[in-house]
Amino acid sequence: MSSIRHFQVTFDCAEPERLARFWCEVLGYVVPPPPEGFATWDDYDRSLPPERRGAGFACHDPSGVGPRLYFQRVPEGKVVKNRVHLDVRVGTGLVGEERLATLQAECERLVALGATRERVLLADDYDESCIVMQDIEGNEFCLD
């Protein structure tokens, strides 16, 4: 029998710290403390060669349950739909109007943080409602 593996989710992006801090707000994640010997992440960043400054940033679940998220700067912009996206589970166990109201409230909170609402997919015979969103760099995710 194989063992369970821990994993990290990596985002290619233009502004790693900005996107990481957005996802901290979405998921309740936190930024880890800076490396030993540095009072702040800015202090650490200034110690790097110019081409490495701002090149990466991470955040994690403070309870240690969820995966670490890593954001790395890439030179190219997002051209097409991302091939992996996160489903943010805010309506688990809810159905109908109660679920939709919960999803709408979270959507409004995230739009205020800079996210974009793409479309609402209403419940049908197979699936409950969800809301398709984009983060601050255009990566698609769903409120589920």
Side-chain angles (χ1 to χ4, degrees):
M1 175 177 252
S2 62
S3 60
I4 302 296
R5 305 276 189 231
H6 293 275
F7 64 93
Q8 168 177 282
V9 177
T10 300
F11 288 74
D12 290 348
C13 60
E15 297 180 68
E17 183 174 353
R18 181 172 175 250
L19 192 57
R21 292 189 184 281
F22 170 82
W23 280 101
C24 282
E25 292 295 325
V26 173
L27 301 173
Y29 272 37
V30 297
V31 173
E36 190 173 322
F38 296 94
T40 67
W41 279 105
D42 285 339
D43 291 343
Y44 172 75
D45 203 47
R46 283 190 291 275
S47 76
L48 299 173
E51 68 276 5
R52 295 293 310 147
R53 292 180 188 153
F57 210 78
C59 60
H60 66 271
D61 175 353
S63 71
V65 175
R68 179 178 189 258
L69 303 182
Y70 181 70
F71 302 84
Q72 63 184 2
R73 186 176 59 220
V74 295
E76 68 278 356
K78 183 178 175 295
V79 179
V80 295
K81 181 180 176 194
N82 44 305
R83 295 183 66 184
V84 175
H85 76 251
L86 303 182
D87 290 336
V88 181
R89 308 298 306 274
V90 297
T92 303
L94 302 176
V95 297
E97 292 301 316
E98 181 182 17
R99 178 184 176 89
L100 191 54
T102 298
L103 297 176
Q104 296 278 21
E106 182 65 359
C107 176
E108 290 174 17
R109 184 181 81 85
L110 300 182
V111 166
L113 295 173
T116 303
R117 184 180 94 167
E118 287 296 303
R119 64 190 172 281
V120 176
L121 301 174
L122 296 174
D124 57 26
D125 292 337
Y126 301 102
D127 296 308
E128 281 296 330
S129 297
C130 70
I131 300 176
V132 180
M133 309 273 303
Q134 286 186 359
D135 72 15
I136 58 175
E137 287 201 10
N139 300 302
E140 186 175 285
F141 67 98
C142 290
L143 296 179
D144 179 29

